[in-house]
Amino acid sequence: MTQSEQLVHRLPNDIGGDEAGPIDRTEHVLEPWEKRCHALADVLDFHKIINTEEKRRGVEALGAQMISALSYYERWIVAFANLCFEKQILTPEELARKMDEIQRRHATTEAG
């Protein structure tokens, strides 16, 4: 199969058969934000806003470069945001405003 054929037939996260280093099998203690991300996935699915298949498609749509640059839960967050934009549940501007609000609140909490 040519490289062009591989790009057409394989999704970015389809890494089966690729060369890889050793697998790190140590337990990873989830950060609080990672736990919240997982809970968000459950809530979005429970309320039928974003299901597992849509999340998978959202992650695959990020492309190979983004998938390799982001951590597991970072991929989820970006996919959720993109899917919410696509479904017109949220706009990029609304998300940016909320992120700014949270950043200011966090800065105030740290300063006080």
Side-chain angles (χ1 to χ4, degrees), residues 44-99:
L44 291 169
D45 191 35
F46 179 82
H47 289 285
K48 303 196 181 323
I49 297 169
I50 297 174
N51 64 36
T52 302
E53 282 303 307
E54 290 173 311
K55 183 185 78 174
R56 179 199 51 78
R57 178 181 59 83
V59 169
E60 290 172 349
L62 297 176
Q65 186 175 8
M66 286 286 287
I67 287 174
S68 65
L70 298 174
S71 73
Y72 183 73
Y73 285 108
E74 287 172 334
R75 293 177 208 150
W76 283 26
I77 291 293
V78 175
F80 294 157
N82 287 338
L83 289 165
C84 285
F85 301 155
E86 179 183 302
K87 293 178 177 215
Q88 298 180 340
I89 295 169
L90 184 67
T91 67
E93 295 79 17
E94 290 168 328
L95 180 58
R97 277 195 302 272
K98 188 64 175 180
M99 290 172 67

Side-chain angles (χ1 to χ4, degrees), residues 17-28:
D18 286 355
E19 290 293 322
I23 297 172
D24 179 5
R25 295 184 180 265
T26 58
E27 284 295 318
H28 169 85

